[in-house]
Amino acid sequence: MKKLLFILIIPICVRALDENLLGLLDGDDFFGSKSAPIIMITYDSVSCPHCAQFNMETIPSLKRKFASDVLFIHRDFPMDKPSLYGTALLECVGVEQARKLRMLLFQSQSKWVFSRNTTKLLDNIYNSIKISGISREKYDKCINDNDAITEMINRKENAMKKIGVFATPTHFINGKKYEGAHPDEFFIEIFEKLLKNMQYKQSDL
């Protein structure tokens, strides 16, 4: 088995937000209308327990309530070696399959995140997602694609440098940054306030 390329990225100071990263990018996993007045971008890691809670409990209810008003964009942001392997798998498949695999990884975090060595980690990740039907051969190929992994790390570094993503989950709502896990009500209040302000401005036209 080839060695996985793993690069430690040192956080640096952010001087200005890069507006290109605060909108929809090619290849983004998104839900909702591209013309929605609100854009919510979430960076998370498949090994992060708060991210698991957000994806399994919070985001589904927000999507149901604000499907026409908010464009929800998801971006993977691996924070450690386990999540780097997990994300390498997600990067290797299509968006729909990646969504299913991501949820399987979130749901089974306790079975693979704390694996005692790399061999056990890789086995545990595969055992957590094999129900999806992906073969071990394809899985091994995905997690050993160093070119794809390098590209993934470059995107992570770009987000760190240009918009200050250093932790997960990190959210950007119409360009404003929010860090950490929050209940539904936190985001509902933000969305409703933004929508109310937009309606107020339109009434003045």
Side-chain angles (χ1 to χ4, degrees):
M1 181 179 293
K2 294 184 293 183
K3 292 183 178 179
L4 180 71
L5 178 63
F6 187 78
I7 300 174
L8 177 64
I9 302 172
I10 307 299
I12 63 175
C13 294
V14 178
R15 300 197 177 192
L17 292 180
D18 186 328
E19 293 186 359
N20 291 329
L21 290 179
L22 299 178
L24 184 65
L25 302 176
D26 290 341
D28 273 340
D29 180 356
F30 69 92
F31 175 88
S33 171
K34 293 181 180 180
S35 60
I38 299 173
I39 297 176
M40 177 177 180
I41 302 171
T42 297
Y43 285 85
D44 63 26
S45 168
V46 290
S47 65
C48 159
H50 292 308
C51 300
Q53 181 182 17
F54 175 78
N55 279 272
M56 291 190 292
E57 299 177 10
T58 305
I59 197 67
S61 64
L62 293 178
K63 287 179 176 179
R64 286 192 296 270
K65 186 174 179 63
F66 295 97
S68 61
D69 296 314
V70 180
L71 175 62
F72 297 92
I73 300 173
H74 175 274
R75 292 177 188 159
D76 291 299
F77 192 85
M79 292 292 293
D80 49 28
K81 187 175 181 179
S83 61
L84 192 67
Y85 280 112
T87 306
L89 172 62
L90 303 180
E91 291 281 317
C92 189
V93 299
V95 172
E96 289 299 324
Q97 189 174 15
R99 288 176 181 172
K100 296 176 183 177
L101 294 175
R102 186 180 295 111
M103 292 307 296
L104 288 174
L105 290 173
F106 279 138
Q107 291 165 0
S108 61
Q109 277 182 346
S110 62
K111 297 180 181 179
W112 61 273
V113 170
F114 304 107
S115 302
R116 60 179 179 270
N117 57 55
T118 300
T119 300
K120 194 68 174 174
L121 170 63
L122 297 180
D123 287 342
N124 288 341
I125 291 176
Y126 181 69
N127 288 334
S128 297
I129 58 88
K130 66 181 180 181
I131 191 175
S132 68
I134 191 169
S135 69
R136 182 67 193 232
E137 181 181 5
K138 179 169 178 62
Y139 168 75
D140 288 339
K141 183 178 180 180
C142 289
I143 63 172
N144 285 289
D145 187 343
N146 283 340
D147 289 339
I149 291 168
T150 298
E151 182 180 345
M152 178 178 67
I153 291 173
N154 288 340
R155 287 200 304 272
K156 174 182 176 179
E157 185 177 27
N158 197 43
M160 294 172 71
K161 288 179 178 179
K162 295 187 175 180
I163 56 176
V165 180
F166 300 122
T168 57
T170 294
H171 316 278
F172 293 89
I173 301 177
N174 279 9
K176 187 173 181 179
K177 181 180 175 182
Y178 301 88
E179 291 184 331
H182 302 281
D184 299 20
E185 293 77 12
F186 175 83
F187 296 104
I188 290 172
E189 182 178 354
I190 293 172
F191 294 159
E192 290 182 342
K193 183 176 181 180
L194 285 171
L195 292 170
K196 183 177 180 180
N197 288 342
M198 291 173 189
Q199 293 171 354
Y200 178 76
K201 290 179 180 179
Q202 288 178 350
S203 66
D204 285 345
L205 297 178

